[in-house]
Amino acid sequence: MKAVVATDQAAEAAGITLAERPEPTPAINDVVVEIHASGFVPAEWEWPSTWVDRSGHDRVPAVIGHEFAGVVSSLGYGTTGLSLGQRVFGITDWHRDGTLAEYAAVEARNLAPLPGNVDFTVGASLPISGLTAWQGLFQHGRLRAGQTVLAHGAAGAVGSVVTQLAREFGAYVIGTGRAADRQAALDFGANEFLDLGSDDLGAVGGVDLVFDVIGGDVQRRSAAVVRPGGTLVSVVGPVEAHPADGLAVDFVVESVPSQLVQIADRVRDGRLRTHIGTVASLDDAIPALNPTERRKGKTVIRVRP
């Protein structure tokens, strides 16, 4: 089968190639999914699991990509609750070969049914961005109606979902980003927009929840505007700046199929839009994953037409 594999950690995206790989076989409680579309997160180059297995052994060349939509093509021994030909989407295990390939082996427990009226391309854009937003807001941020959320990168793949979900659940959302992102952030539902390049972050006053996808100086400035009892949630590694009288939480997204079902339901009935930027075929994946311009939205590779 054709697959995009990482071959050189130092080269990052420049060290990937389209190669022939053996088709996977399902282990106990696995399924093999015929991949129709796969999303991609640029930060994957920084994940140790891209390069080594759980024992620390080198796993290069490794098939990259970990979110997908497709069809169940075979079942492993003991697999229940899924059927051949079923439309599914989800996240694969970080340490296993990924989904930028024609087929991928996935633990059945990581899969959710993909509604028939949700396109495979849209489905592949949802798992990591959608679950990151859901878990950051509700599990770690404990969002409640009436609170104020500072959503960094509000026009991006994760931030756009954060903005929409927070608004749906009754929050006032201050979106941030570059000046060029203003209209997109407002279109996704931000009540107001702050340009991180020119506006004063401290001028927003107090907020109950910061959703940080940037880190560094932005995170440090954001911690200062968290109200007493508020929370700073980070998805960019250990928190370096803590609110004076609040919580700081960093987390790694987990596969929770029940949450994926709720996210897909919102896409199906129009409450939630995913922000897809670049869409390319598997044959054209290498340049799409090595963009010469800033990425806007989620990159999705269509493995099958």
Side-chain angles (χ1 to χ4, degrees):
M1 69 172 184
K2 290 190 290 188
V4 178
V5 297
T7 61
D8 185 342
Q9 184 172 5
E12 296 186 341
I16 58 175
T17 185
L18 187 64
E20 285 292 327
R21 296 277 286 182
E23 290 188 18
T25 56
I28 296 174
N29 296 322
D30 269 359
V31 302
V32 170
V33 177
E34 178 186 78
I35 304 295
H36 283 241
S38 174
F40 181 71
V41 178
E44 189 168 334
W45 313 124
E46 302 167 12
W47 302 343
S49 57
T50 298
W51 310 104
V52 297
D53 64 19
R54 284 189 169 83
S55 299
H57 299 133
D58 185 12
R59 56 185 297 262
V60 172
V63 179
I64 60 173
H66 287 283
E67 58 186 334
F68 65 93
V71 174
V72 175
S73 63
S74 64
L75 304 173
Y77 179 79
T79 299
T80 60
L82 294 167
S83 58
L84 295 176
Q86 183 175 356
R87 289 164 51 95
V88 292
F89 74 129
I91 302 175
T92 62
D93 186 281
W94 308 120
H95 290 87
R96 298 179 70 173
D97 273 347
T99 58
L100 280 167
E102 294 180 294
Y103 296 90
V106 187
E107 288 185 79
R109 64 178 181 174
N110 288 331
L111 295 171
L114 181 69
N117 58 351
V118 176
D119 179 81
F120 286 116
T121 302
V122 173
S125 72
L126 288 171
I128 291 179
S129 297
L131 289 174
T132 298
W134 189 280
Q135 293 166 17
L137 286 172
F138 306 127
Q139 289 180 220
H140 304 291
R142 300 167 299 163
L143 179 69
R144 300 189 304 276
Q147 291 187 323
T148 298
V149 175
L150 181 63
H152 288 309
V158 174
S160 61
V161 182
V162 169
T163 298
Q164 293 172 83
L165 290 177
R167 281 296 306 272
E168 179 189 345
F169 282 82
Y172 183 91
V173 180
I174 303 169
T176 80
R178 302 184 183 188
D181 299 326
R182 178 182 301 273
Q183 192 56 53
L186 296 174
D187 290 344
F188 280 117
N191 296 91
E192 59 181 280
F193 181 82
L194 187 146
D195 176 3
L196 290 175
S198 61
D199 295 335
D200 179 12
L201 186 56
V204 302
V207 303
D208 301 289
L209 173 61
V210 173
F211 202 115
D212 178 35
V213 298
I214 301 173
D217 181 61
V218 169
Q219 183 183 101
R220 287 188 288 274
R221 288 188 285 146
S222 299
V225 302
V226 176
R227 290 173 179 149
T231 306
L232 187 154
V233 174
S234 170
V235 297
V236 291
V239 177
E240 298 177 357
H242 292 248
D245 187 14
L247 297 176
V249 179
D250 69 273
F251 74 101
V252 176
V253 65
E254 297 180 324
S255 178
V256 183
S258 61
Q259 294 173 359
L260 283 174
V261 169
Q262 295 191 69
I263 291 165
D265 284 345
R266 285 167 167 76
V267 172
R268 184 169 54 177
D269 65 22
R271 282 177 289 168
L272 183 66
R273 291 185 294 124
T274 183
H275 187 185
I276 298 174
T278 300
V279 178
S281 69
L282 186 60
D283 287 336
D284 296 325
I286 304 305
L289 300 176
N290 281 280
T292 57
E293 299 178 349
R294 176 189 172 221
R295 285 184 176 93
K296 294 184 178 180
K298 174 72 71 174
T299 298
V300 177
I301 303 301
R302 282 197 184 118
V303 178
R304 287 173 171 81

